[in-house]
């Protein structure tokens, strides 16, 4: 999976939030709601790059552009997590978890949620 820029990720999050499909007009409305003042050409360029990188497919509904996510948000998150883990921790999950615990990044409630998840997985 290719890497995408922070700006491209902003657009993907808008599309994922809308069920993986969004019209250009919807994307622009959401950007405006977030106080983002990107110009039309900037957004179109970023969307074109996402199509080239096979993150999106585009289609027409009448004269309007519709964008469909080819990559699911969960798939992207899993890929990014694996890349981060490999790059920063050389694949050592224990090192990541240790850092999360030592730096108080992982709350007690989150840790209990993880423990419950693993308990359910063991019982399957």
């Amino acid at each position: 999976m290719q890497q995408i820029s922070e700006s491209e990720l902003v657009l993907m999050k808008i599309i994922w939030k809308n069920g993986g499909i969004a019209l250009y007009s919807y994307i622009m409305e959401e950007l405006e709601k977030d106080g983002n003042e990107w110009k039309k050409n900037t957004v179109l360029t970023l969307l074109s790059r996402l199509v080239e990188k096979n993150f999106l497919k585009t289609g027409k509904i009448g004269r309007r552009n519709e964008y469909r996510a080819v990559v699911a948000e969960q798939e992207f998150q899993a890929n990014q997590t694996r890349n981060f883990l490999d790059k920063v921790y050389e694949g050592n999950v224990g090192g990541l978890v240790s850092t999360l615990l030592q730096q108080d990044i992982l709350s007690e409630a989150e840790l209990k949620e993880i423990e419950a998840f693993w308990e359910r997985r063991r019982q399957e």
Side-chain angles (χ1 to χ4, degrees), residues 89 92-102 106 111:
Y89 292 95
N92 180 352
V93 176
L96 171 61
V97 173
S98 177
T99 299
L100 294 173
L101 291 170
Q102 290 173 2
L106 189 63
L111 183 56

Side-chain angles (χ1 to χ4, degrees), residues 3-120:
Q3 295 298 311
I4 61 174
S5 70
E6 291 295 320
S7 298
E8 291 166 339
L9 182 55
V10 168
L11 299 181
M12 288 303 300
K13 285 182 176 184
I14 290 169
I15 295 167
W16 285 325
K17 183 176 84 173
N18 197 50
I21 303 170
L23 294 173
Y24 169 79
S25 58
Y26 174 81
I27 294 167
M28 292 303 290
E29 288 171 14
E30 290 300 303
L31 287 170
E32 287 176 22
K33 282 182 191 174
D34 290 339
N36 196 317
E37 297 180 8
W38 290 345
K39 303 284 186 226
K40 177 181 178 178
N41 286 342
T42 301
V43 175
L44 290 173
T45 297
L46 292 170
L47 289 168
S48 293
R49 287 181 188 163
L50 287 165
V51 170
E52 289 171 14
K53 293 177 181 181
N54 294 316
F55 274 78
L56 294 176
K57 284 187 180 181
T58 186
K60 289 276 190 189
I61 297 180
R63 296 177 53 189
R64 302 182 316 171
N65 289 331
E66 178 187 68
Y67 295 90
R68 287 184 176 267
V70 174
V71 176
E73 185 173 19
Q74 296 81 7
E75 180 184 356
F76 176 76
Q77 290 170 339
N79 182 269
Q80 292 300 299
T81 301
R82 174 56 62 196
N83 287 342
F84 174 78
L85 188 62
D86 289 344
K87 188 185 306 182
V88 178
Y89 292 95
E90 298 177 353
N92 180 352
V93 176
L96 171 61
V97 173
S98 177
T99 299
L100 294 173
L101 291 170
Q102 290 173 2
Q103 298 298 314
D104 291 325
I105 297 169
L106 189 63
S107 72
E108 189 173 332
E110 290 167 325
L111 183 56
K112 286 182 180 183
E113 186 178 327
I114 292 168
E115 289 171 345
F117 170 80
W118 280 113
E119 186 61 34
R120 286 191 305 270

